[in-house]
């Protein structure tokens, strides 16, 4: 399906200009008046009943889109679903780096282009809705699905998610998931997240609001409970906050199969049971007939679905939807660019008498490179749950390095299963590259026998031993880590001179890795989550919890509160050049509660190569009537600087970004206080310039 059908009432074929919200709403209301109750409930229900529906889902998930009914009489098109967020999960589509990696790019313009590519590949294969925008906050890096989200910070998550929404929605509806506080995998179907209203509003929801403000067509409810109610049955989340307070005009879809427990979910604000009908369909009809669920509830839900179908029937660029658009040369290049911009250089120390750094590898001096570790020769592109893609090929680190090295440079490979033999291989080389980390077996969506949450954040003991043996044999050792979130590096970090976080870098990852290792590309990724020294620096994570309390602090905010020093801070990442920050300026020393502060800083490239830098803005205050984080990310900008070049970077901080949520008054309060604005290359105190300003009462 390259073309969506236009629902009757959405205008004739000549009438193809995008509709305003009001126009779509008017047409949807008109269409609703022509529908019977049965037709309405059909729009709210998955395509078939549990059996054979589930079997079809199982067999066809990665082959064709899953439908929710069309209505031929009124020419209302079906919802045609495909999943993400690493790429379109159908057939052999482009596999991008996982979201956590893309989060490390801090590049919203790139993320929007990735969304555009996913939208084109989805439409080219018949889908009109994509489950790609996973923005659950990473409360703890052991969460099995960490790789599907962008990181631990609500501001960063919001802008990255909104960029993906923008890109996808040039072509198809974007589904933002999982609403809300979904961040434990093993107990996801029953865990009750106990959480105070202020914490919910300030920490776990702002990024969803950002995507709603961006115009997302669909929100998927989470499996877990929040404060005693399953998210699909949670009127506070779905009705009070999402629909009433935020003015969300799209529809809410259930997470699959166990997303709702009965038809009363409709009254709580759940609009579509997907992908199969278990509790809606005839059962929901009975509840309406008995008066348990009101007809107004049904009308409201259907109106929401129709609005988006009508809106998206006019959205798209049909000329771009064709089989060759899937894994096109442009999308492969985009996957490589995304991987280049995602990798984070964590360490690159000068060593030896001549104080040379191991990276980038100087091919004028190096004649033999040892590549070590079985992961170097294995396609390793993320979990095997619902987000699993099936790319036509994956460039492994070994293949990427082999392809990029000059002929005169020999590559020797050792799979590292025998650490002693691997060390011998390393000893005979000029440089050793050890590739270690996690795979779909260690972390991912809970698929019963594979995936799930991690018990330890450290590498496996064998991998730690392999690193230590290799670096003992060859001081010029680079460790390349693969994985979906933080890895604890305490057992070996001090010993290795160079360390690169490659995440799950997608189908072009091996090429991108070689580009960075050889210095064809200067690394620019920054951590979207803190890398702790130990689990004790993190909040409690209990993967079997039936009920768990989510507090205000996690990640860098928790470490700052306790004065803890992580292994690598949030926002941290090195480059092959150096940057200097000077002259932090604010336009005014006082602003009103509805105003924004203009902030500027001069950033210069003080090294010898061009590079990209992520300029980060944090803010904090003292004397608040509530306990707050020492500082929180409130803005960032990614810039490019040639050697010697200086740029003035302008950022903006709105007073309302500093509001806290007052539980008694149920509203946001901007306190008249003195605030500190911090700007720099990471969240670490030593990296930040700061200045103070006031917000008037
Ligand atoms: C996941 C969703 C996914 C759905 C469909 C569920 O198990 O939680 O993220 O979209 O499956 O694959």
């Amino acid at each position: 399906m390259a073309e969506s059908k236009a629902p009757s009432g959405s205008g004739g074929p000549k009438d193809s200009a995008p509709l305003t919200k009001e126009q779509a709403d008017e047409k949807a209301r008109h269409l609703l008046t022509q529908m019977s109750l049965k037709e309405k409930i059909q729009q709210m229900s998955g395509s078939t009943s549990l059996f054979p529906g589930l079997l079809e889902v199982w067999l066809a998930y990665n082959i064709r889109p899953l439908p929710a009914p069309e209505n031929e009489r009124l020419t209302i098109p079906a919802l045609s679903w495909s999943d993400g967020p690493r790429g379109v999960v159908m057939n052999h589509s482009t596999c991008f780096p996982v979201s956590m990696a893309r989060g490390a790019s801090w590049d919203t313009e790139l993320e929007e282009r990735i969304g555009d590519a996913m939208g084109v590949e989805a439409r080219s294969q018949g889908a009109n809705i994509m489950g790609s925008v996973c923005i659950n906050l990473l409360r703890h890096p052991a969460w099995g699905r960490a790789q599907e989200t962008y990181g631990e910070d609500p501001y960063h998550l919001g802008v990255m998610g909104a960029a993906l929404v923008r890109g996808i929605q040039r072509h198809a509806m974007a589904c933002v998931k999982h609403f809300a506080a979904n961040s434990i995998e093993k107990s996801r179907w029953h865990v009750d997240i106990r959480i105070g209203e202020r914490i919910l509003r300030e920490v776990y929801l702002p990024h969803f609001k950002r995507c709603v403000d961006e115009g997302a067509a669909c929100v998927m409810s989470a499996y877990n409970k929040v404060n005693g109610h399953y998210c699909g049955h949670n009127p506070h989340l779905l009705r009070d906050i999402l629909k009433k307070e935020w003015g969300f005009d799209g529809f809410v879809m259930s997470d699959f199969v166990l997303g709702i427990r009965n038809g009363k979910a409709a009254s709580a604000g759940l609009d579509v049971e997907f992908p199969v009908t278990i509790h809606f369909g005839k059962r929901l009809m009975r509840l309406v007939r008995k008066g348990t669920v009101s007809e107004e509830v049904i009308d409201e839900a259907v109106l929401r679905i129709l609005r988006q179908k009508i809106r998206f029937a006019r959205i798209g660029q049909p000329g771009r939807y064709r089989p060759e658009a899937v894994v096109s040369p442009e999308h492969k290049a985009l996957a490589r660019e995304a991987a280049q911009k995602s990798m984070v250089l964590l360490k690159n120390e000068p060593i030896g008498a001549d104080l040379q750094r191991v990276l980038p590898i100087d091919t004028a001096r190096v004649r033999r490179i040892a590549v070590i570790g079985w992961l170097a020769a294995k396609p390793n592109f993320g979990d095997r749950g619902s987000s699993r893609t099936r790319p036509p090929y994956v460039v492994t680190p070994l293949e990427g390095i082999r392809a990029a090295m000059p002929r005169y440079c020999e590559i020797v490979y050792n799979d590292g299963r025998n650490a002693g033999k691997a060390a011998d291989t390393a000893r005979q080389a000029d440089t050793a590259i050890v590739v270690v980390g996690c795979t779909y077996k260690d972390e991912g969506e809970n698929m019963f026998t594979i995936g799930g949450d991690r018990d330890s954040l450290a590498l496996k003991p064998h991998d730690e031993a392999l690193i230590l043996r290799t670096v003992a044999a060859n001081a010029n050792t680079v460790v390349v880590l693969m994985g979906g979130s933080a890895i604890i590096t305490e057992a070996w970090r001090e010993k290795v001179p160079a360390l690169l976080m490659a995440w799950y870098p997608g189908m072009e990852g091996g090429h991108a890795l070689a580009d960075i290792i050889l210095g064809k590309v200067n690394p620019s990724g920054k951590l979207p989550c803190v890398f702790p020294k130990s689990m004790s620096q993190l909040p409690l994570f209990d993967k079997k919890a039936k009920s768990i309390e989510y507090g205000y602090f996690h990640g860098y905010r928790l470490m700052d509160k306790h004065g803890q020093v992580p292994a690598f801070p949030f926002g941290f990442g090195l480059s092959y050049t150096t940057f200097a920050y000077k002259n932090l300026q604010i336009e005014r020393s006082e602003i009103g509660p509805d105003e924004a502060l203009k902030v500027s800083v001069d950033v210069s490239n003080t090294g010898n190569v061009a590079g990209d830098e992520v300029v980060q803005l944090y803010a904090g205050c003292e004397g608040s009537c509530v306990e707050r984080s020492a500082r929180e990310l409130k803005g960032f900008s990614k810039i490019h600087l040639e050697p010697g070049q200086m740029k003035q970077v302008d950022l903006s901080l709105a007073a309302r970004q500093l509001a806290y949520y007052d539980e008694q008054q149920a509203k946001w309060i901007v306190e008249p206080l003195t605030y500190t604005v911090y700007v720099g290359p990471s969240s670490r105190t030593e990296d930040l310039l700061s200045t103070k300003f006031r917000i008037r009462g």
Side-chain angles (χ1 to χ4, degrees):
M1 183 206 82
E3 288 295 311
S4 298
K5 277 187 214 159
S8 79
S10 71
K14 275 186 232 138
D15 215 354
S16 59
L19 298 170
T20 62
K21 264 188 175 191
E22 293 69 27
Q23 288 168 329
D25 186 65
E26 199 187 311
K27 288 177 189 299
R29 283 178 196 280
H30 178 68
L31 197 50
L32 189 71
T33 59
Q34 302 169 47
M35 297 173 77
S36 68
L37 181 61
K38 187 172 170 205
E39 285 175 319
K40 290 176 187 172
I41 289 181
Q42 215 173 36
Q43 285 296 302
M44 297 172 65
S45 314
S47 64
T48 50
S49 52
L50 186 57
F51 297 104
L54 211 51
L55 190 68
E56 282 165 19
V57 171
W58 188 259
L59 294 176
Y61 198 68
N62 294 96
I63 298 173
R64 53 177 185 260
L66 301 179
E70 58 182 339
N71 179 321
E72 280 189 25
R73 184 179 80 82
L74 295 166
T75 53
I76 301 172
L79 288 176
S80 294
W81 163 274
S82 187
D83 224 326
R86 214 183 313 164
V88 177
V89 300
M90 284 183 292
N91 303 310
H92 303 292
S93 305
T94 305
C95 174
F96 294 96
V98 294
S99 303
M100 187 63 72
R102 293 172 357 233
S105 76
W106 297 59
D107 192 331
T108 52
E109 183 271 333
L110 172 67
E111 191 60 13
E112 189 172 334
R113 281 190 283 135
I114 291 173
D116 180 88
M118 288 182 187
V120 168
E121 295 201 7
R123 285 289 298 268
S124 297
Q125 297 174 84
N128 62 11
I129 176 165
M130 283 209 73
S132 300
V133 191
C134 178
I135 50 166
N136 290 111
L137 178 131
L138 185 74
R139 174 178 172 270
H140 194 291
W143 179 35
R145 295 180 76 176
Q147 62 190 272
E148 288 189 56
T149 191
Y150 295 105
E152 70 173 49
D153 182 86
Y155 175 83
H156 172 264
L157 272 167
V159 292
M160 293 304 291
L164 192 65
V165 169
R166 276 198 300 282
I168 291 175
Q169 291 205 157
R170 287 193 207 129
H171 311 283
M173 300 177 217
C175 174
V176 179
K177 65 194 190 184
H178 311 80
F179 194 66
N182 174 211
S183 41
I184 304 175
E185 192 48 18
K186 187 160 179 72
S187 60
R188 64 174 166 165
W189 286 309
H190 58 259
V191 63
D192 184 15
I193 308 298
R194 313 297 307 189
I195 186 167
E197 194 63 18
R198 180 175 165 230
I199 302 168
L200 188 64
R201 304 296 189 124
E202 291 183 30
V203 184
Y204 288 87
L205 295 188
H207 32 293
F208 283 98
K209 168 131 191 342
R210 180 68 189 78
C211 291
V212 166
D213 290 346
E214 199 60 51
C218 173
V219 166
M220 179 187 278
S221 60
Y223 284 127
N224 50 281
K225 295 179 191 164
V226 166
N227 292 331
H229 297 277
Y230 283 111
C231 290
H233 290 257
N234 199 314
H236 185 52
L237 284 177
L238 302 184
R239 289 217 177 274
D240 302 346
I241 299 179
L242 178 66
K243 292 184 174 177
K244 287 203 195 105
E245 213 177 298
W246 297 353
F248 174 59
D249 67 352
F251 57 92
V252 179
M253 170 186 277
S254 67
D255 201 343
F256 282 30
V257 187
L258 283 175
I260 58 171
R261 309 289 164 137
N262 57 54
K264 289 188 215 156
S267 305
L270 194 294
D271 304 310
V272 181
E273 181 185 31
F274 203 73
V276 287
T277 306
I278 307 171
H279 304 291
F280 279 14
K282 284 185 191 145
R283 286 182 173 166
L284 181 55
M285 181 83 101
R286 279 202 289 277
L287 291 182
V288 176
R289 296 239 156 91
K290 278 203 310 202
T292 313
V293 174
S294 74
E295 284 203 41
E296 290 79 67
V297 161
I298 303 298
D299 283 355
E300 188 241 16
V302 178
L303 198 56
R304 288 172 175 279
I305 301 161
L306 293 179
R307 259 192 224 125
Q308 299 305 329
K309 287 186 173 179
I310 289 170
R311 174 184 167 205
F312 278 87
R314 299 274 192 99
I315 284 179
Q317 301 162 13
R320 292 178 69 192
Y321 310 143
R322 41 185 219 288
E324 314 81 79
V326 181
V327 202
S328 63
E330 296 77 31
H331 292 178
K332 285 192 245 176
L334 186 59
R336 182 166 178 167
E337 180 188 349
Q340 291 165 342
K341 292 183 171 169
S342 302
M343 293 186 190
V344 185
L345 182 62
L346 292 172
K347 197 170 172 189
N348 194 20
E349 313 252 289
I351 53 168
D354 55 358
L355 292 182
Q356 282 282 326
R357 295 177 204 272
V358 187
L359 292 176
I361 292 174
D362 181 358
T363 46
R365 289 159 46 119
V366 167
R367 287 292 171 273
R368 180 186 282 185
I369 293 181
V371 177
I372 290 170
W374 63 273
L375 266 189
K378 176 143 183 83
N380 189 24
F381 54 104
D383 99 329
R384 296 208 174 164
S386 57
S387 68
R388 178 181 188 176
T389 51
R390 290 157 200 261
Y393 66 85
V394 174
V395 182
T396 65
L398 182 61
E399 287 165 347
I401 292 166
R402 278 206 170 119
M405 283 296 164
R407 282 249 176 85
Y408 57 77
C409 192
E410 189 191 354
I411 307 292
V412 280
Y413 171 64
N414 182 296
D415 70 11
R417 291 189 202 271
N418 179 323
K421 286 193 179 148
D424 290 342
T425 309
R427 196 171 293 113
Q428 288 155 27
D430 300 304
T431 301
I433 301 170
V434 187
V435 183
V436 283
C438 302
T439 72
Y440 68 91
K441 293 186 180 159
D442 306 305
E443 57 179 348
E445 192 170 348
N446 194 357
M447 301 310 279
F448 307 107
T449 51
I450 54 166
D453 307 299
R454 278 188 288 165
D455 291 317
S456 160
L457 298 182
L459 293 174
K460 293 174 199 79
H462 175 82
D463 288 344
E464 294 192 331
L466 180 66
I467 293 172
L468 291 171
R469 295 284 293 265
T470 305
V471 74
N474 187 333
N476 291 309
T477 290
V478 182
V479 175
V480 175
L481 292 176
M482 300 185 95
S485 74
I487 290 175
I488 289 180
T489 53
E490 289 316 287
W492 48 269
R493 187 179 70 249
E494 289 307 322
K495 302 268 189 338
V496 306
L499 174 58
L500 184 72
M501 183 69 197
W503 313 103
Y504 297 116
M507 63 190 281
E508 285 283 330
H511 286 321
L513 179 69
D515 293 336
I516 287 195
I517 282 180
L518 293 182
K520 289 183 191 156
V521 169
N522 190 352
S524 61
K526 303 259 188 175
L527 292 180
C529 58
V530 79
F531 273 36
K533 285 185 176 165
S534 80
M535 291 270 243
S536 66
Q537 294 184 315
L538 301 172
L540 169 80
F541 185 82
D542 175 5
K543 67 178 187 181
K544 294 188 185 149
K546 292 201 171 78
S547 171
I548 185 166
E549 177 101 24
Y550 275 18
Y552 193 76
F553 297 94
H554 71 282
Y556 69 90
R557 298 156 188 234
L558 183 65
M559 298 221 183
D560 287 348
K561 176 178 156 74
H562 293 145
Q564 301 258 15
V565 179
F568 298 106
F570 176 82
F572 176 82
L574 298 169
S575 162
Y576 294 150
T577 188
T578 44
F579 299 101
Y581 284 66
K582 282 208 188 83
N583 202 20
L584 174 63
Q585 300 277 352
I586 49 176
E587 196 193 32
R588 285 179 288 159
S589 58
E590 191 173 278
I591 58 168
D594 298 319
E595 294 178 329
L597 183 74
K598 286 191 181 156
V599 180
S600 71
V601 69
D602 295 342
V603 184
S604 339
N605 181 342
T606 47
N608 299 323
V609 286
D612 291 349
E613 169 69 327
V614 181
V615 180
Q616 301 162 40
L617 184 152
Y618 296 82
C621 66
E622 273 170 30
S624 170
C625 66
V626 287
E627 188 183 15
R628 299 211 193 195
S629 313
R631 58 179 160 259
E632 292 173 1
L633 181 75
K634 298 293 178 192
F636 62 85
S637 174
K638 190 159 187 174
I639 55 163
H640 178 81
L641 289 172
E642 293 298 319
Q645 191 186 2
M646 188 276 277
K647 269 187 193 164
Q648 178 182 312
V649 179
D650 297 316
L651 298 152
S652 170
L653 174 63
R656 64 165 193 287
Q657 288 182 271
L658 300 164
Y660 79 93
Y661 187 81
D662 186 291
E663 294 186 352
Q664 263 72 49
Q665 301 182 62
K667 65 177 200 195
W668 292 90
I669 308 270
V670 178
E671 286 182 286
L673 286 175
T674 298
Y675 293 81
T676 307
V677 54
Y678 304 85
V679 177
S682 90
S683 64
R684 185 166 64 174
T685 310
E686 312 84 278
D687 282 347
L688 295 164
L689 299 175
S690 70
T691 184
K692 290 189 190 300
F693 71 100
R694 257 196 83 72
I695 297 184
R696 279 191 300 276

